[in-house]
Amino acid sequence: MAELNPAQQHAVKMLSGPLLVLAGAGTGKTRVVTFRIANLIKHGTRPSRILGVTFTNKAADEMQERVGALIGKRLKDRPFISTFHAHCVKILRRHIRRLGYPEKFAICDRGDQESIARSALREIRVPNESLRPGDLIHFISGWKSHSISPPDAVRLAQTDKEHLAAMGYRRYQRTLKATGAVDFDDLLLCTEELFQQHRDVLDEEAGRFDHVLVDEYQDTNGSQYRIVKALASRHRNLCVVGDDDQSIYGWRGAEVEHILRFAEDWPDARVVRLEDNYRSTAEILELANRLIAFNRTRHQKVLRASRRGGPKPLVRQHEDENAEAREVVDEIRRMIQHEHLEPRDFAILFRTNEQPRAFETELRKLKLPYVLLGGMSFYDRKEVRDVVAYLKTLVSPQDETSLLRIINAPPRGIGQKAVESLMQQAVSQGQPVWSVMHSGGGLPEPARSSVHKFVAMVKRFQGRVQHGPLLAAVRDLISEVGYEAELQRLYSDPSEFQSRWDAVQEVINALAAYEAKSKKPTLSGFLDEIVLGDRDMDNDKEKQLQRNAVVLMTLHSAKGLEFPHVYMVGMEEGILPHHRSLGGDETGVEEERRLCYVGVTRARERLTLSFPLTRMKWGKARDTIPSRFLYEMTGQAENAQAIARRQQALREASRSRRPNPATRAASAAKEVRPAPRRRP
């Protein structure tokens, strides 16, 4: 307890009833959660009766490790700490049969989803230019995050595109269930459905725990909120930790209202505010506090710096976006050379994925190492998806997305015509393709012989993974299908081949690690782990952050991280706040302000905010308008209000006259632009 400040101690000592811990940026949130779990155990709660839930594998692993250090690693009884989705997988493995799914259901990855979406759109004869598979998935995920079923989506659809998507949603969901699969959103929805429709399931699952702790509560969506409420409603020992000022995921279903109305949901709730910041200097926090105070819907709190002084944050203007990139990168180079700093000490944060291009160009010119976070997932690589499809087929051959992916990969004499024939027979007979394959599907030789060999191979390896070591079986499977030789055939460049073969070996390494740490390893358990791990992307991010390199990343990706020196670039209207947030009420702008606040509070020592005076759009230089957030942070709120009024007037005028955008931007900029080369 001596390691904790008074507010942290207060949160740790409250051992019963509903508790809201408002943990501002850099205030020691994880420490409070782990100390509280340790204190519960110290006062007699069995560790396995404690459930801790968070959003990423990294956060769950860190929490588990810290709790282990506090309670002693030799203690066998452990608290259950996992992500929301991982915990829901455990619940569904026990009970999903009640919803008509098989116990060994498959969890679709993004590639599987796109394949099913493409088939659904083909069924309803929607051309690709009207609605792409990725667009359909976006619609479906949005509906599912708000617990909207296919019939509800049809009823709520307004535009032509939404009506097409609602029709595709119905077929998409039907295909998922027919193949015994769920997507990532279904893990929450099916758990919620189980709790609503089967009271005995809820009683059993809620009865497993006496205490529930939820980290990052401000990021919960509707399903997560209802699942937490159901699990804690009996014992009411619910502790939620979060910060409404860092709620930045509204676009993917998170609802800041959950943390704002916690005291209404739990009237006897106590609230503890953690406001002592151990990360940033007082000068940086002064800007952060001034900025976030402009949000109306928030819990009142102020970050207090434990470290005094520090250099004042800088606001810089540059001629254009290329000059911004050139001058930012050149300053980083000088500081590395003359101040004995490392590349990893610097982060360049931006709002949109288009912005880093110019910065990458300049970093390459000066030969500065850098990492761009948020690229392709390891599990999106073709060769990795092929190997995973083989493993999914061994677990569930009814998973037709995976089965059809590898039925002739590498080529084994089952061509496209044979596959189409098998599909047609499966549809006409109302059976899975796997069942039709057993009979040969009326195919001519030698295709029928190839199908029989493939079926026999799958069955043989099914037996091996069920009754023997997983690692040896999967190694032998990859060898038997000749996947290494196929990569050599496809990629004549030795470095390209080696890169792809290394990715296959990395899957094998992941399986070896899983088998070594699991008491009862199963192939379905391994697949659950990699699908859930791929979604939170923390492993890839963590590996890249270990490199000694300048970090380029979006503001959304930066949440939870910190750097000595932070550059927030492109601080202009239309980028931050993003233009999509400017059309409606203040809700969108408030979330953008929270996103800006998250960026500011990533900086430990030095913060630089910049924007270009002009930016290229459609091949022409257009004047920019400085972000209203710059004015709010620097005590010039009247200019921020002028920008907001001007933007609103321009939107209203554009609806009727649609004036030239260059003229419009220039006139707005003249009204509020600070003098060139001066800080706002």
Side-chain angles (χ1 to χ4, degrees), residues 13 23 41 47 69 99 102 115 143 200 246 269 288 303 401 430 502 533 609:
K13 288 177 180 177
I41 295 169
L99 299 179
S115 177
W143 281 321
D200 58 320
Q246 296 185 75
L303 291 179
T401 302
D502 286 347
L609 306 133

Side-chain angles (χ1 to χ4, degrees), residues 551-612:
V551 176
L552 294 174
M553 66 194 313
T554 64
L555 288 161
H556 283 99
S557 298
K559 186 171 176 289
L561 301 175
E562 58 183 71
F563 304 90
H565 305 278
V566 168
Y567 290 83
M568 290 176 63
V569 299
M571 294 290 296
E572 62 206 72
E573 290 289 301
I575 290 185
L576 187 68
H578 196 273
H579 65 84
R580 282 196 301 265
S581 70
L582 301 176
D585 57 21
E586 278 295 300
T587 304
V589 173
E590 289 210 349
E591 177 151 327
E592 292 290 297
R593 190 176 284 112
R594 292 193 293 266
L595 187 58
C596 184
Y597 174 82
V598 164
V600 169
T601 54
R602 298 312 94 195
R604 294 206 301 260
E605 309 291 343
R606 188 176 296 171
L607 172 67
T608 304
L609 306 133
S610 67
F611 67 95

Side-chain angles (χ1 to χ4, degrees), residues 245-283:
D245 290 335
Q246 296 185 75
S247 179
I248 59 174
Y249 297 116
W251 50 276
R252 68 182 189 195
E255 298 178 39
V256 69
E257 291 79 12
H258 298 156
I259 195 168
L260 292 175
R261 67 168 188 242
F262 184 81
E264 297 173 28
D265 292 337
W266 307 85
D268 55 335
R270 288 167 291 182
V271 180
V272 176
R273 287 173 169 80
L274 305 183
E275 299 177 308
D276 291 325
N277 178 283
Y278 298 98
R279 176 188 300 157
S280 306
T281 65
E283 292 285 355

